[in-house]
Amino acid sequence: MRVATGSDHAGFRLKGLLAERLAERGHEVVDLGTHSEDRVDYPDFGAAVGRAVAAGEADLGVCVCGSGIGIAMAANKVSGVRAAVVHDSVSAALARQHNDANVVCFGQRLIDDGIALGALDAFLDASFEGGRHVGRVAKLDAL
C-alpha cells in the first residue's frame, strides 16, 4: 500500500517514527514533507497529503503537527478526504471502522510515541464496517 506522510516542523520527529513503522510493515511511504524542524505552515502539508489521497496517488495518508488539529483541518478541505485526529488505538480503529477515514492525524505534542505507533497499527489493521455507516459517510462526502 502507498501511504503519503506529511507534517509541519512541530510534527517532524513523530512523522519520521511513523514512516519507519509504515516501512517495517511493508508499505511504500511517500514523504511529502517537511524535511526538517525549520518552521513551516501545516496547511501546506495537510493539503499535500489530502490531495495525494484524493487523486489516488496514495491509498492512505498520515499527518502530524503539534496538536493534529490544524493539519487535519487542512487535509479535510480536500474533497474526498476524511481525516481524523486520533489519540489512541481505539479512536484510530473507530476512525476507519465507522468513518472510513483515509487520513490519520497525530499531535506530536499530545501523544506518546508508543501510543502513536499503536494507534497507527490499529488504523492500518482496521477496515470500514459498512452497514449503518455507509449512509453517514456518503453524507460526509456530499458536503
Side-chain angles (χ1 to χ4, degrees), residues 36-123:
S36 76
E37 291 183 339
D38 294 340
R39 188 195 164 289
V40 293
D41 297 327
Y42 60 80
D44 300 331
F45 302 95
V49 169
R51 288 184 188 117
V53 170
E57 297 165 4
D59 301 297
L60 295 173
V62 175
C63 291
V64 189
C65 69
S67 68
I69 297 167
I71 204 160
M73 289 178 171
N76 276 320
K77 290 287 188 178
V78 178
S79 180
V81 170
R82 290 175 304 281
V85 180
V86 302
H87 303 285
D88 53 30
S89 59
V90 174
S91 59
L94 288 172
R96 288 291 300 272
Q97 294 166 345
H98 292 190
N99 309 112
D100 200 16
N102 50 16
V103 176
V104 62
C105 303
F106 297 91
Q108 180 176 302
R109 295 176 181 149
L110 303 178
I111 192 167
D112 175 81
D113 290 352
I115 292 173
L117 290 169
L120 178 63
D121 288 339
F123 184 81

Side-chain angles (χ1 to χ4, degrees), residues 96-100 127-137:
R96 288 291 300 272
Q97 294 166 345
H98 292 190
N99 309 112
D100 200 16
S127 59
F128 184 50
E129 291 178 354
R132 71 184 192 275
H133 306 294
V134 170
R136 296 168 184 160
V137 171

